[in-house]
Amino acid sequence: MRVLEPWVADPLAEFLRESGARLALVMTSSGQVIAQHGFTRSLDVMSAAALGAGILATTRELATILAAPRGFGAVVHQGVRQGVWLAGFDTPRGRWIGLVVFGHESSVGLVRLFFARFAQQLAAAAPAVTPVRDVLAEGFERELDDSLRALFGTR
C-alpha cells in the first residue's frame, strides 16, 4: 500500500482487510492519486485514476441531464472473476473517488458496506484544510506548449 497522505493509511488498511479488495485507488475528483494498493505499475495507476475520474464526471453529468434527484451513487460491474466498484465521497479536503477491484470471495454488498465506513473514517481522520496554494508554476502553460511542439515536431 502506498499513500500520499499518512492519515489515509489506517482507514485504507482496515477497508482492504474487511472488504477483501484486490486493488484499491483513492484519488481526488480531478484524478490526483492519494493512495493505492495492489497496482504494480505506475502507468496502470495513472490510467485507472484518469479513467475513474472521467467516468464519475460523466455519470454525474448524465444524472444532471436525467434530473436524477440523488445522482448515481456508484458505478459497479460484477464480472465472472472480479468486480469493480467506483464511487465518489465527500471529505473535508473536497470530493474524492474510490476505485475498488474485488474478487469472487467478496460481493458488491460487502464492498458497499465497508466503502461507506471507509469514507466516514476518512472524513473523520482528515486534518484541518490548509490554505489553497497555486498548483501550477507561472510558466506552466508556455512550457507545456513548448514540450508538445518539440514532441510532435511542430516548431
Side-chain angles (χ1 to χ4, degrees), residues 31-71:
Q32 178 188 8
V33 176
I34 302 298
Q36 69 93 4
H37 166 77
F39 289 88
T40 57
R41 298 180 330 161
S42 62
L43 180 61
D44 294 339
V45 172
M46 292 185 306
S47 298
L51 289 169
I55 290 167
L56 276 193
T58 302
T59 57
R60 186 174 48 249
E61 288 305 312
L62 280 172
T64 301
I65 291 168
L66 298 173
R70 292 181 22 221

Side-chain angles (χ1 to χ4, degrees), residues 22 76-85 100-104 108:
R22 294 178 178 178
V76 181
H77 171 74
Q78 181 66 58
V80 175
R81 291 192 194 146
Q82 55 193 14
V84 177
W85 171 273
V100 180
V101 176
F102 56 96
H104 65 277
V108 173

